[in-house]
Amino acid sequence: MRRLPTVCFVTDETPHPALENDAGISCVGLSSILARTGHPVTILYVPDADRPGEGFREWRRHGAENAIRVVPLVGDGNREVRAGAAARRSYLVYE
């Protein structure tokens, strides 16, 4: 039997339909479909520095309901990255 590819979504969006954020809603839909068809799916939640814990609860609920692994990005607050917020988060994901 052929093994299905593992999929990882990296997002800072909150999966809440009332917020009408295209990336968050797209991630919810696609991750659910892939998980239902047997793909191992992980969502790496990368919170915005201005809203550190906001949204993780919703992602955890979505993951539990759809057999999706949800992991928050925990960065090294001591590491200095001289760049904008998006570049800092990208570097932390890379590490």
Side-chain angles (χ1 to χ4, degrees):
M1 186 168 152
R2 198 171 129 218
R3 186 171 173 231
L4 294 173
T6 298
V7 180
C8 180
F9 293 93
V10 179
T11 185
D12 65 347
E13 297 285 343
T14 302
H16 195 284
L19 297 178
E20 298 178 7
N21 54 7
D22 294 335
I25 299 306
S26 297
C27 191
V28 165
L30 188 53
S31 65
S32 299
I33 291 168
L34 289 169
R36 275 197 306 267
T37 58
H39 290 266
V41 177
T42 299
I43 294 174
L44 176 60
Y45 178 61
V46 184
D48 189 333
D50 297 335
R51 312 174 318 233
E54 201 173 301
F56 183 66
R57 186 174 335 156
E58 289 87 357
W59 277 122
R60 192 168 33 198
R61 182 176 25 253
H62 170 67
E65 292 170 355
N66 294 282
I68 295 170
R69 184 173 167 233
V70 179
V71 180
L73 177 71
V74 179
D76 182 357
N78 297 323
R79 183 175 305 264
E80 183 177 345
V81 178
R82 294 181 186 194
R88 275 194 299 277
R89 287 195 313 260
S90 296
Y91 184 76
L92 291 172
V93 168
Y94 167 76
E95 282 192 314

